[in-house]
Amino acid sequence: DLMESLNVLLRREGLRAVDPDETRAMIGDGVLKLVERALERTGGDPVRAPELLADFLAIYEPRASANT
């Protein structure tokens, strides 16, 4: 669910998707840090993580337990 939500956000930003191994490596230290790491790993600007956090949460919340 986290990976799918990250990938929706990343696609909106014109960035590549992350895979399961990358996602697992980015988990820890909270959601803001997850978004920051995803941006950094895919060539985005990690400084934008705070402004994209609400977008990520809006994507994630309805699907938070879809695949869990």
Side-chain angles (χ1 to χ4, degrees), residues 5-58:
S5 300
L6 276 175
N7 286 334
V8 169
L9 180 70
L10 292 169
R11 279 192 298 273
R12 288 182 182 176
E13 292 296 305
L15 301 168
R16 71 169 180 83
V18 292
D19 65 34
D21 290 333
E22 288 177 299
T23 303
R24 276 190 289 279
M26 292 185 286
I27 293 173
D29 304 317
V31 178
L32 178 60
K33 196 67 174 173
L34 176 67
V35 173
E36 181 182 308
R37 289 173 180 154
L39 290 168
E40 185 174 51
R41 193 173 282 250
T42 60
D45 184 359
V47 173
R48 294 194 58 227
E51 77 183 73
L52 295 173
L53 181 60
D55 292 338
F56 173 79
L57 291 173

